[in-house]
């Protein structure tokens, strides 16, 4: 029996070394997409099965069209290079959450790239890339830290352009997820004036360009004896994301 | 035997797909782990350690662990070794201590197996994060403990429910 176990463990690592898992990605991708994207909207009870199926198909197409139209609207305004990807799975283990995308190294993805929703709001960062699939950490996961800027409401209109406005006063800090729900901004000096409703955007570090929208300031926690203040951020991304876009490097 | 084998492989693939891609399942629930434990409980009456049914259970753990590792951001072997170890320990030690005819006994077995499984996964992630920078380090805070607790309880309850449901189907068939 011991021989069996040693053989199986040996075989397991050989398969991983030879990248044999890529075969499974190709086989399972369509089924995963079908399953993950199956719960789109409510389906009303109907006596006619055929109409029911057609209705679901139409609803799916309509929803997909709406998402793609919003993407098109956002992508035409932006000068970035994008790749669209379907979310095909989600997993959480030991407090670590990650999502699966159906695009990988073959399509030009690599770790560290930003993942956006249809409105151009940051959802997460790609963590690991395989030949056919890739994985990303959502920004609400506590294991992801991103450098971010708080920008006052008057300058929020500048964030559509990829260049930083010289006039806009920004306050920098580090954003981290909290309990898989909220975002907290840390290391913001106590003397900086921040208002509730101010916008939060990426700061242009960590290989992610400046100006990608993250959220809005929801709460300010100032303690008199502390060096830094903590800011609670309300993320602006769509929670039920099925199709995402990944910004490619120039 | 060949058809049983093929049927088992297809079943493992379906369970794996449901676990990874079904968005409605609560976080922490592992269908593969639940399936292995229920399968082991059903096969536990065999005295021979390496009987045909027990071989199927280990085969499920190997294939299930391999698939889970394929779709994970952790070091290859995290789920594979965790599932194999928990299956071995359950068969070798835990099942001897628990009476599988009582619901409470099955629940405690499920909770103990779930705890060992979660402990092993966390242990492997913790160790591998030192060697590979892309693997996130575990923060042992309230959120982590809540996640682990939720996973153990939900998996334990689902093991009991599935085992009970399978027994119920078996008895109702006899009555008919």
């Amino acid at each position: 029996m011991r021989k069996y176990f040693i053989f199986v463990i040996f075989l397991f690592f050989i398969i991983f070394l030879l990248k044999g898992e890529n075969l499974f990605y190709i086989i399972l991708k369509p089924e995963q997409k079908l399953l993950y994207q199956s719960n789109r909207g409510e389906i009303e009870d109907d006596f006619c099965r055929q109409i029911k199926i057609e209705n679901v198909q139409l609803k799916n197409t309509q929803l997909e069209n709406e998402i793609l139209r919003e993407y098109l609207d956002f992508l035409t305004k932006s000068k970035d290079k994008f790749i669209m990807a379907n979310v095909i799975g989600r997993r959480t283990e030991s407090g670590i959450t990650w999502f699966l995308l159906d695009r990988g190294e073959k399509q030009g993805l690599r770790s560290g790239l930003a993942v956006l929703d249809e409105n151009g709001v940051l959802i997460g960062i790609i963590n690991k890339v395989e030949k056919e699939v890739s994985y990303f950490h959502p920004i609400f996961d506590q294991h992801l830290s991103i450098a971010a800027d708080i920008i006052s409401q008057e300058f929020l209109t500048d964030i559509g352009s990829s260049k930083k406005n010289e006039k806009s006063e920004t306050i920098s800090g580090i954003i981290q997820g909290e309990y898989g729900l909220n975002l907290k901004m840390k290391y913001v000096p106590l003397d900086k004036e921040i208002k509730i409703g101010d916008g939060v955007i990426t700061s242009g570090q960590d290989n992610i360009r400046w100006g990608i929208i993250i959220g809005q300031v929801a709460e300010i926690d100032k303690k008199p004896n502390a060096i830094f203040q903590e800011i609670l951020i309300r993320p602006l991304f769509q929670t039920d994301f099925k199709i995402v876009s990944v910004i490619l490097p120039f | 035997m060949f058809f049983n084998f093929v049927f088992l492989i297809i079943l493992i693939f379906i369970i794996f797909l449901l676990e990874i891609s079904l968005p409605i399942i609560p976080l922490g629930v592992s269908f593969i782990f639940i399936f292995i434990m229920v399968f082991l409980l059903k096969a536990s009456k065999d005295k021979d350690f390496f009987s045909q049914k027990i071989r199927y259970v280990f085969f499920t753990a190997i294939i299930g662990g391999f698939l889970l590792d394929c779709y994970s951001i952790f070091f290859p072997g995290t789920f594979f070794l965790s599932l194999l170890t928990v299956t071995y320990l359950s068969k070798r030690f835990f099942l001897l201590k628990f009476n599988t005819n009582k619901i409470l006994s099955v629940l405690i077995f499920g909770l103990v197996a779930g705890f060992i499984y979660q402990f092993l996964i966390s242990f492997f992630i913790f160790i591998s994060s030192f060697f590979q920078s892309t693997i996130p380090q575990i923060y042992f805070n309230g959120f982590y403990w809540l996640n682990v607790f939720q996973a153990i309880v939900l998996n334990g309850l689902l093991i009991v429910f599935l085992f009970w449901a399978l027994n119920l189907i078996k008895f109702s068939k006899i009555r008919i």
Side-chain angles (χ1 to χ4, degrees):
Chain A
M1 194 184 133
R2 197 175 291 165
K3 280 181 194 169
Y4 276 114
F5 275 116
I6 293 166
F7 173 71
V8 165
I9 291 168
F10 180 72
L11 193 73
F12 173 83
F13 284 105
I14 288 290
I15 291 171
F16 266 94
L17 275 175
L18 297 173
K19 298 273 173 197
E21 71 269 25
N22 282 318
L23 185 73
F24 293 103
Y25 300 146
I26 298 163
I27 298 167
L28 295 175
K29 238 197 272 185
E31 290 83 12
Q32 283 184 289
K33 191 189 163 191
L34 192 82
L35 259 175
Y36 195 81
Q37 310 210 345
S38 58
N39 67 334
R40 284 179 170 179
E42 292 287 312
I43 303 160
E44 281 180 19
D45 283 335
D46 201 324
F47 293 110
C48 183
R49 190 179 152 76
Q50 192 58 36
I51 291 170
K52 224 176 182 182
I53 293 166
E54 277 177 16
N55 193 20
V56 174
Q57 281 172 341
L58 276 170
K59 267 187 178 176
N60 272 349
T61 319
Q62 193 188 350
L63 214 94
E64 207 166 65
N65 275 341
E66 274 170 26
I67 294 170
L68 289 172
R69 204 175 295 131
E70 277 181 50
Y71 264 112
L72 195 70
D73 188 39
F74 152 65
L75 294 179
T76 43
K77 280 178 196 165
S78 172
K79 288 167 188 168
D80 295 308
K81 271 187 185 174
F82 287 90
I83 275 192
M84 307 280 279
N86 287 299
V87 182
I88 54 169
R90 177 198 174 145
R91 288 182 71 186
T92 299
E93 209 60 67
S94 301
I96 304 164
T97 307
W98 69 97
F99 285 83
L100 261 106
L101 295 180
D102 67 344
R103 302 288 163 119
E105 213 174 348
K106 228 176 164 182
Q107 286 81 22
L109 299 193
R110 60 180 170 85
S111 57
L113 298 180
V115 182
L116 314 184
D117 75 352
E118 65 254 39
N119 300 314
V121 181
L122 186 75
I123 305 171
I125 307 285
I126 292 199
N127 168 263
K128 188 182 168 189
V129 181
E130 302 280 356
K131 213 173 178 181
E132 294 288 336
V133 294
S134 53
Y135 309 86
F136 78 88
H137 270 311
I139 48 167
F140 53 78
D141 187 88
Q142 55 182 342
H143 297 85
L144 189 70
S145 300
I146 308 162
D149 285 346
I150 295 178
I151 190 160
S152 56
Q153 279 173 318
E154 300 95 72
F155 298 107
L156 270 176
T157 44
D158 296 335
I159 56 176
S161 62
S162 58
K163 280 183 185 173
K164 198 172 181 173
N165 191 332
E166 294 299 319
K167 286 180 192 171
S168 58
E169 196 197 350
T170 55
I171 301 155
S172 299
I174 302 286
I175 274 190
Q176 198 174 23
E178 205 181 46
Y179 308 120
L181 299 165
N182 293 320
L183 298 176
K184 207 161 216 182
M185 194 167 188
K186 294 171 179 174
Y187 310 114
V188 180
L190 204 66
D191 59 327
K192 299 282 181 189
E193 271 301 313
I194 298 156
K195 281 180 231 150
I196 288 173
D198 281 355
V200 182
I201 54 169
T202 52
S203 67
Q205 290 168 28
D206 315 315
N207 293 324
I208 301 163
R209 73 157 172 82
W210 180 84
I212 300 171
I213 304 160
I214 297 172
Q216 271 187 313
V217 173
E219 218 177 286
I220 303 158
D221 185 15
K222 270 187 181 182
K223 284 176 185 127
N225 296 326
I227 308 165
F228 301 109
Q229 52 183 317
E230 282 192 336
I231 319 287
L232 195 76
I233 313 287
R234 186 166 52 87
L236 290 174
F237 59 79
Q238 302 282 332
T239 47
D240 189 27
F241 38 84
K242 308 279 184 199
I243 301 169
V244 295
S245 61
V246 183
I247 304 183
L248 294 175
F250 283 107
Chain B
M1 190 186 153
F2 175 75
F3 286 108
N4 284 349
F5 215 62
V6 173
F7 176 71
L8 187 64
I9 289 175
I10 293 167
L11 197 66
I12 296 167
F13 268 82
I14 292 169
I15 291 168
F16 165 74
L17 277 174
L18 290 174
E19 177 172 340
I20 206 158
S21 290
L22 200 67
I24 53 165
I25 63 159
L27 299 177
V29 171
S30 173
F31 285 154
I32 294 271
F33 170 73
I34 293 164
F35 178 68
I36 290 167
M37 287 302 121
V38 173
F39 202 178
L40 192 65
L41 282 166
K42 296 297 278 177
S44 64
K45 277 162 188 140
D46 289 350
K47 296 283 177 210
D48 179 16
F49 187 85
F50 221 49
S51 68
Q52 191 66 38
K53 280 182 189 169
I54 298 297
R55 277 185 201 192
Y56 282 151
V57 175
F58 276 102
F59 177 75
T60 311
I62 289 164
I63 300 292
F66 174 76
L67 287 171
L68 287 174
D69 269 327
C70 280
Y71 286 88
S72 112
I73 56 168
F74 307 126
F75 198 75
T78 304
F79 292 96
F80 175 79
L81 293 175
S82 302
L83 275 176
L84 261 185
T85 313
V86 78
T87 311
Y88 178 80
L89 290 175
S90 300
K91 176 61 193 160
R92 185 83 178 79
F93 302 108
F94 307 147
L95 277 176
L96 301 173
K97 307 278 178 198
F98 296 102
N99 178 9
T100 53
N101 293 323
K102 289 178 181 170
I103 290 281
L104 188 68
S105 207
V106 174
L107 177 67
I108 295 168
F109 165 77
L111 293 175
V112 170
F115 172 76
I116 300 286
Y117 181 56
Q118 288 299 320
F119 170 79
L120 287 167
I121 289 173
S122 297
F123 173 75
F124 287 125
I125 296 169
F126 187 73
I127 296 293
S128 56
S129 63
F130 286 111
F131 299 103
Q132 209 172 333
S133 60
T134 53
I135 297 169
Q137 279 196 335
I138 295 177
Y139 300 142
F140 294 101
N141 54 13
F143 184 62
Y144 164 79
W145 293 113
L146 186 75
N147 253 268
V148 169
F149 179 75
Q150 184 185 333
I152 294 170
V153 172
L154 283 177
N155 286 335
L157 288 173
L158 281 168
I159 286 169
V160 173
F161 177 74
L162 201 66
F163 184 67
W164 173 75
L166 285 173
N167 277 349
L168 208 71
I169 292 165
K170 192 181 161 190
F171 286 125
S172 64
K173 264 185 187 172
I174 291 164
R175 272 178 211 155
I176 290 162

